Coordinates of all heavy atoms in Angstrom, one line a residue:
M1 N 37.8 98.9 205.5 CA 37.6 100.3 205.9 C 38.7 100.7 206.9 O 39.1 101.8 206.7 CB 36.2 100.5 206.5 CG 35.0 100.4 205.6 SD 34.9 101.8 204.4 CE 34.5 103.2 205.5
A2 N 39.1 99.9 207.8 CA 40.1 100.3 208.8 C 41.4 100.6 208.1 O 42.0 101.6 208.4 CB 40.3 99.2 209.8
G3 N 41.8 99.8 207.1 CA 43.0 100.1 206.3 C 42.9 101.4 205.6 O 43.9 102.1 205.5
L4 N 41.8 101.7 205.0 CA 41.6 103.0 204.3 C 41.6 104.2 205.3 O 42.3 105.2 205.0 CB 40.2 103.0 203.6 CG 40.1 101.9 202.4 CD1 38.7 102.0 201.9 CD2 41.1 102.2 201.3
I5 N 40.9 104.0 206.4 CA 40.8 105.1 207.3 C 42.2 105.4 208.0 O 42.6 106.5 208.2 CB 39.7 104.9 208.3 CG1 38.4 104.9 207.6 CG2 39.7 105.9 209.5 CD1 37.2 104.3 208.5
G6 N 42.8 104.3 208.4 CA 44.1 104.4 209.1 C 45.3 104.7 208.3 O 46.4 104.9 208.8
G7 N 45.1 104.7 207.0 CA 46.3 105.0 206.1 C 47.2 103.9 205.9 O 48.3 104.0 205.4
D8 N 46.7 102.6 206.1 CA 47.6 101.5 205.9 C 47.7 101.1 204.4 O 48.7 100.5 204.0 CB 47.0 100.2 206.6 CG 46.9 100.4 208.1 OD1 47.8 101.2 208.7 OD2 46.1 99.8 208.8
F9 N 46.8 101.6 203.6 CA 46.8 101.4 202.2 C 47.2 102.7 201.5 O 46.7 103.8 201.9 CB 45.5 100.9 201.6 CG 45.0 99.6 202.3 CD1 43.7 99.6 202.8 CD2 45.8 98.5 202.4 CE1 43.3 98.4 203.4 CE2 45.4 97.4 203.1 CZ 44.1 97.3 203.6
A10 N 48.0 102.7 200.4 CA 48.3 103.9 199.7 C 47.2 104.2 198.7 O 47.2 103.6 197.6 CB 49.7 103.7 199.0
V11 N 46.3 105.0 199.1 CA 45.1 105.3 198.3 C 44.9 106.8 198.4 O 45.4 107.5 199.3 CB 43.8 104.6 198.8 CG1 43.9 103.1 198.6 CG2 43.5 104.9 200.2
P12 N 44.2 107.4 197.4 CA 44.0 108.8 197.4 C 43.1 109.2 198.5 O 42.3 108.4 199.0 CB 43.3 109.1 196.0 CG 43.3 107.8 195.3 CD 43.7 106.7 196.2
T13 N 43.2 110.5 198.9 CA 42.3 111.0 200.0 C 40.8 110.8 199.5 O 40.5 111.1 198.4 CB 42.6 112.5 200.2 OG1 43.9 112.6 200.6 CG2 41.7 113.1 201.3
G14 N 40.0 110.4 200.4 CA 38.6 110.2 200.1 C 38.2 108.8 199.6 O 37.1 108.5 199.3
A15 N 39.2 107.9 199.6 CA 39.0 106.6 199.1 C 38.0 105.8 200.1 O 37.2 105.0 199.7 CB 40.2 105.8 199.0
D16 N 38.1 106.1 201.4 CA 37.2 105.5 202.4 C 35.8 105.9 202.1 O 34.9 105.1 202.1 CB 37.6 105.8 203.8 CG 37.7 107.3 204.1 OD1 37.9 108.1 203.1 OD2 37.7 107.7 205.3
R17 N 35.6 107.2 201.8 CA 34.2 107.7 201.5 C 33.7 107.0 200.2 O 32.5 106.6 200.2 CB 34.2 109.2 201.4 CG 32.9 109.8 201.0 CD 33.0 111.2 200.7 NE 31.7 111.8 200.5 CZ 31.4 113.0 200.8 NH1 32.3 113.9 201.3 NH2 30.2 113.5 200.5
E18 N 34.5 107.0 199.2 CA 34.1 106.4 197.9 C 33.8 104.9 198.1 O 32.7 104.4 197.6 CB 35.3 106.5 196.9 CG 34.9 106.0 195.5 CD 36.0 106.1 194.6 OE1 36.9 106.9 194.8 OE2 36.0 105.3 193.6
F19 N 34.6 104.2 198.9 CA 34.3 102.8 199.1 C 33.0 102.6 199.9 O 32.1 101.8 199.5 CB 35.4 102.1 199.9 CG 35.2 100.7 200.2 CD1 35.6 99.7 199.3 CD2 34.6 100.3 201.4 CE1 35.3 98.4 199.5 CE2 34.4 98.9 201.7 CZ 34.7 98.0 200.7
F20 N 32.8 103.4 200.9 CA 31.5 103.4 201.7 C 30.3 103.6 200.8 O 29.3 102.9 200.8 CB 31.6 104.4 202.8 CG 30.4 104.4 203.7 CD1 30.2 103.4 204.7 CD2 29.3 105.3 203.5 CE1 29.1 103.4 205.5 CE2 28.2 105.3 204.3 CZ 28.1 104.3 205.3
E21 N 30.4 104.7 200.0 CA 29.2 105.1 199.2 C 29.0 104.1 198.1 O 27.8 103.7 197.8 CB 29.4 106.5 198.6 CG 29.3 107.5 199.7 CD 29.7 108.9 199.1 OE1 30.1 109.1 198.0 OE2 29.5 109.9 199.9
K22 N 30.0 103.5 197.5 CA 29.9 102.6 196.3 C 29.5 101.2 196.8 O 28.7 100.6 196.1 CB 31.2 102.6 195.6 CG 31.1 101.8 194.3 CD 32.4 101.9 193.5 CE 32.3 101.1 192.2 NZ 33.6 101.2 191.4
H23 N 30.0 100.7 197.9 CA 29.8 99.3 198.2 C 29.0 99.1 199.5 O 28.5 97.9 199.6 CB 31.2 98.7 198.4 CG 32.1 98.7 197.2 ND1 31.8 97.9 196.1 CD2 33.1 99.4 196.9 CE1 32.7 98.1 195.2 NE2 33.5 99.0 195.7
L24 N 28.8 100.0 200.3 CA 28.1 99.7 201.6 C 26.8 100.6 201.8 O 25.9 100.0 202.4 CB 29.1 100.0 202.8 CG 30.3 99.1 202.8 CD1 31.2 99.6 203.9 CD2 30.0 97.7 202.9
A25 N 26.8 101.8 201.4 CA 25.8 102.7 201.8 C 24.4 102.3 201.5 O 23.4 102.5 202.2 CB 26.0 104.1 201.3
R26 N 24.2 101.6 200.4 CA 22.9 101.2 199.9 C 22.2 100.1 200.8 O 21.0 100.1 200.8 CB 22.9 100.7 198.5 CG 23.3 101.8 197.5 CD 23.2 101.3 196.1 NE 24.1 102.1 195.3 CZ 25.0 101.6 194.5 NH1 25.2 100.3 194.4 NH2 25.8 102.4 193.8
W27 N 23.0 99.3 201.5 CA 22.4 98.2 202.1 C 22.8 98.0 203.6 O 22.1 97.3 204.3 CB 22.7 96.9 201.4 CG 24.2 96.6 201.3 CD1 25.1 97.0 200.4 CD2 25.0 95.8 202.2 NE1 26.4 96.5 200.6 CE2 26.3 95.8 201.8 CE3 24.6 95.1 203.4 CZ2 27.3 95.1 202.5 CZ3 25.6 94.4 204.1 CH2 27.0 94.5 203.6
I28 N 23.9 98.5 204.0 CA 24.5 98.1 205.3 C 23.6 98.6 206.5 O 23.5 97.8 207.4 CB 26.0 98.7 205.4 CG1 26.7 98.0 206.6 CG2 26.0 100.2 205.6 CD1 27.0 96.5 206.4
R29 N 23.0 99.7 206.4 CA 22.2 100.2 207.5 C 21.0 99.3 207.7 O 20.6 98.9 208.8 CB 21.8 101.6 207.4 CG 21.0 102.1 208.6 CD 20.6 103.6 208.5 NE 20.2 104.1 209.8 CZ 19.1 103.8 210.4 NH1 18.2 103.1 209.8 NH2 18.8 104.3 211.6
R30 N 20.3 99.0 206.6 CA 19.2 98.1 206.6 C 19.5 96.7 207.2 O 18.8 96.1 207.9 CB 18.6 97.9 205.2 CG 17.3 97.1 205.1 CD 16.7 97.1 203.7 NE 17.6 96.8 202.7 CZ 17.9 97.5 201.6 NH1 17.3 98.7 201.4 NH2 18.8 97.1 200.7
F31 N 20.7 96.2 206.8 CA 21.2 94.9 207.4 C 21.3 95.0 208.9 O 20.8 94.1 209.6 CB 22.6 94.6 206.8 CG 23.3 93.5 207.5 CD1 22.9 92.1 207.3 CD2 24.3 93.7 208.4 CE1 23.5 91.1 208.0 CE2 24.9 92.7 209.1 CZ 24.5 91.4 208.9
F32 N 21.9 96.0 209.4 CA 22.1 96.2 210.9 C 20.7 96.4 211.6 O 20.5 95.9 212.7 CB 23.1 97.2 211.2 CG 24.5 96.8 211.0 CD1 25.4 97.6 210.2 CD2 25.0 95.7 211.7 CE1 26.7 97.2 210.1 CE2 26.3 95.3 211.5 CZ 27.2 96.0 210.7
V33 N 19.8 97.1 210.9 CA 18.5 97.3 211.5 C 17.8 96.0 211.6 O 17.2 95.6 212.6 CB 17.7 98.3 210.7 CG1 16.2 98.3 211.1 CG2 18.2 99.7 210.9
D34 N 17.8 95.2 210.5 CA 17.2 93.8 210.6 C 17.9 93.0 211.7 O 17.2 92.3 212.4 CB 17.4 93.1 209.2 CG 16.5 93.7 208.1 OD1 15.6 94.5 208.5 OD2 16.7 93.4 207.0
L35 N 19.2 93.0 211.8 CA 19.9 92.3 212.8 C 19.5 92.7 214.2 O 19.3 91.9 215.1 CB 21.4 92.4 212.6 CG 22.3 91.4 213.3 CD1 22.0 90.0 212.8 CD2 23.7 91.7 213.0
E36 N 19.3 94.0 214.3 CA 18.9 94.6 215.6 C 17.5 94.1 216.1 O 17.3 94.0 217.3 CB 19.0 96.1 215.5 CG 18.7 96.9 216.8 CD 18.8 98.4 216.6 OE1 18.8 98.9 215.4 OE2 18.8 99.1 217.6
N37 N 16.7 93.9 215.1 CA 15.3 93.5 215.4 C 15.1 92.0 215.6 O 14.0 91.5 215.8 CB 14.4 94.0 214.4 CG 14.2 95.5 214.5 OD1 14.1 96.1 215.5 ND2 14.3 96.2 213.3
V38 N 16.2 91.2 215.6 CA 16.1 89.8 215.9 C 15.7 89.5 217.3 O 16.4 90.0 218.3 CB 17.4 89.1 215.6 CG1 17.4 87.6 216.0 CG2 17.8 89.2 214.1
K39 N 14.6 88.9 217.6 CA 14.1 88.7 218.9 C 14.7 87.4 219.6 O 14.7 87.3 220.8 CB 12.5 88.6 218.9 CG 11.9 89.8 218.3 CD 12.1 91.0 219.2 CE 11.3 92.2 218.6 NZ 12.0 93.4 218.6
S40 N 15.1 86.5 218.7 CA 15.5 85.2 219.3 C 17.0 85.1 219.6 O 17.5 84.1 220.2 CB 15.2 84.1 218.3 OG 15.9 84.3 217.1
A41 N 17.8 86.2 219.3 CA 19.2 86.1 219.5 C 19.7 87.5 220.1 O 20.0 88.4 219.3 CB 19.9 85.8 218.3
D42 N 19.7 87.6 221.4 CA 20.0 88.9 222.0 C 21.4 89.4 221.6 O 21.5 90.6 221.4 CB 19.9 88.8 223.5 CG 20.0 90.1 224.2 OD1 19.3 91.0 223.9 OD2 20.9 90.2 225.1
F43 N 22.3 88.5 221.5 CA 23.7 89.0 221.1 C 23.7 89.7 219.8 O 24.3 90.7 219.6 CB 24.7 87.8 221.1 CG 26.0 88.1 220.6 CD1 26.9 88.8 221.3 CD2 26.4 87.7 219.3 CE1 28.2 89.1 220.8 CE2 27.6 88.1 218.7 CZ 28.5 88.7 219.5
Y44 N 23.1 89.0 218.8 CA 23.0 89.6 217.4 C 22.2 90.9 217.4 O 22.5 91.8 216.6 CB 22.6 88.6 216.4 CG 23.6 87.5 216.2 CD1 23.4 86.2 216.7 CD2 24.8 87.8 215.6 CE1 24.4 85.2 216.6 CE2 25.8 86.8 215.5 CZ 25.6 85.5 216.0 OH 26.5 84.5 215.9
A45 N 21.2 91.0 218.2 CA 20.4 92.2 218.2 C 21.3 93.4 218.7 O 21.3 94.5 218.2 CB 19.2 92.1 219.2
R46 N 22.2 93.1 219.7 CA 23.1 94.1 220.2 C 24.2 94.4 219.1 O 24.6 95.6 219.0 CB 23.7 93.7 221.5 CG 22.7 93.6 222.6 CD 23.3 93.0 223.9 NE 22.2 92.7 224.8 CZ 21.8 93.5 225.8 NH1 22.4 94.7 225.9 NH2 20.9 93.2 226.6
V47 N 24.7 93.4 218.4 CA 25.6 93.7 217.3 C 24.9 94.6 216.3 O 25.5 95.5 215.7 CB 26.1 92.4 216.7 CG1 26.9 92.6 215.4 CG2 26.9 91.6 217.7
G48 N 23.7 94.3 216.0 CA 22.9 95.1 215.0 C 22.8 96.6 215.5 O 23.0 97.5 214.7
A49 N 22.5 96.8 216.8 CA 22.4 98.1 217.3 C 23.8 98.9 217.2 O 23.8 100.0 216.8 CB 21.9 98.1 218.8
L50 N 24.8 98.2 217.6 CA 26.2 98.8 217.5 C 26.5 99.1 216.0 O 27.0 100.2 215.7 CB 27.2 97.8 218.1 CG 28.6 98.3 218.0 CD1 28.8 99.6 218.8 CD2 29.6 97.2 218.5
G51 N 26.3 98.2 215.1 CA 26.5 98.4 213.7 C 25.7 99.5 213.1 O 26.2 100.4 212.4
R52 N 24.4 99.6 213.5 CA 23.6 100.7 213.0 C 24.1 102.0 213.4 O 24.2 103.0 212.7 CB 22.1 100.4 213.4 CG 21.2 101.6 212.9 CD 19.9 101.5 213.6 NE 19.9 101.3 215.0 CZ 20.1 102.2 215.9 NH1 20.4 103.5 215.6 NH2 20.1 101.9 217.2
T53 N 24.5 102.1 214.7 CA 25.0 103.3 215.2 C 26.3 103.7 214.5 O 26.4 104.9 214.2 CB 25.2 103.2 216.8 OG1 24.0 102.8 217.4 CG2 25.8 104.5 217.3
F54 N 27.2 102.8 214.3 CA 28.4 103.1 213.6 C 28.1 103.6 212.2 O 28.7 104.6 211.7 CB 29.3 101.8 213.5 CG 30.5 102.0 212.6 CD1 31.6 102.7 213.1 CD2 30.5 101.5 211.4 CE1 32.7 102.9 212.3 CE2 31.7 101.7 210.6 CZ 32.7 102.4 211.0
V55 N 27.2 103.0 211.5 CA 26.9 103.4 210.1 C 26.2 104.8 210.1 O 26.5 105.6 209.2 CB 25.9 102.3 209.4 CG1 25.4 102.9 208.1 CG2 26.7 101.0 209.2
D56 N 25.4 105.0 211.1 CA 24.8 106.4 211.2 C 25.8 107.4 211.4 O 25.8 108.5 210.8 CB 23.8 106.4 212.3 CG 22.5 105.6 212.0 OD1 22.3 105.3 210.8 OD2 21.7 105.4 213.0
V57 N 26.8 107.2 212.3 CA 27.9 108.1 212.5 C 28.7 108.3 211.2 O 29.0 109.5 210.9 CB 28.8 107.7 213.7 CG1 30.0 108.5 213.8 CG2 28.0 107.7 215.0
E58 N 29.1 107.2 210.6 CA 29.9 107.4 209.3 C 29.1 108.1 208.3 O 29.7 109.0 207.6 CB 30.2 106.0 208.8 CG 31.3 105.3 209.6 CD 32.6 106.0 209.6 OE1 33.2 106.1 208.5 OE2 33.1 106.4 210.6
T59 N 27.8 107.8 208.1 CA 27.0 108.5 207.1 C 27.0 110.0 207.4 O 27.1 110.9 206.5 CB 25.6 108.0 207.1 OG1 25.7 106.6 206.8 CG2 24.7 108.6 206.1
E60 N 26.8 110.4 208.7 CA 26.7 111.8 209.0 C 28.1 112.5 208.8 O 28.2 113.6 208.3 CB 26.3 111.9 210.5 CG 26.1 113.4 210.9 CD 25.4 113.5 212.3 OE1 24.7 112.6 212.7 OE2 25.7 114.5 212.9
A61 N 29.2 111.8 209.2 CA 30.5 112.3 209.0 C 30.8 112.6 207.6 O 31.4 113.6 207.2 CB 31.5 111.4 209.6
F62 N 30.5 111.6 206.7 CA 30.7 111.8 205.3 C 29.9 113.0 204.7 O 30.3 113.7 203.8 CB 30.5 110.5 204.5 CG 31.6 109.5 204.7 CD1 31.2 108.2 204.9 CD2 32.9 109.8 204.7 CE1 32.2 107.2 205.0 CE2 33.9 108.9 204.9 CZ 33.5 107.6 205.0
A63 N 28.7 113.1 205.2 CA 27.8 114.2 204.8 C 28.4 115.6 205.2 O 28.3 116.6 204.4 CB 26.4 114.1 205.3
L64 N 29.1 115.7 206.3 CA 29.7 116.9 206.8 C 30.9 117.3 205.9 O 31.1 118.5 205.7 CB 30.2 116.8 208.2 CG 29.1 116.7 209.3 CD1 29.7 116.4 210.6 CD2 28.2 117.9 209.3
S65 N 31.6 116.3 205.4 CA 32.8 116.7 204.6 C 32.5 116.9 203.1 O 33.4 117.2 202.4 CB 33.8 115.5 204.8 OG 33.3 114.3 204.3
A66 N 31.2 116.8 202.8 CA 30.9 117.0 201.3 C 30.8 118.5 201.0 O 30.7 119.3 201.7 CB 29.5 116.3 201.1

């Protein structure tokens, strides 16, 4: 995603959105929510919270540009 967003790859405009929707959107938020709810590993719970927040921001940003 970083290469798509940062322009490191020669791809058409909107390729980052297409990649997100096609390969990540269906499962990635659920993954981070599950990780966030891990009670036995505080570090991974925090990684889950950060990841979920990032996915929420990306989802909202892509919805605005539609």
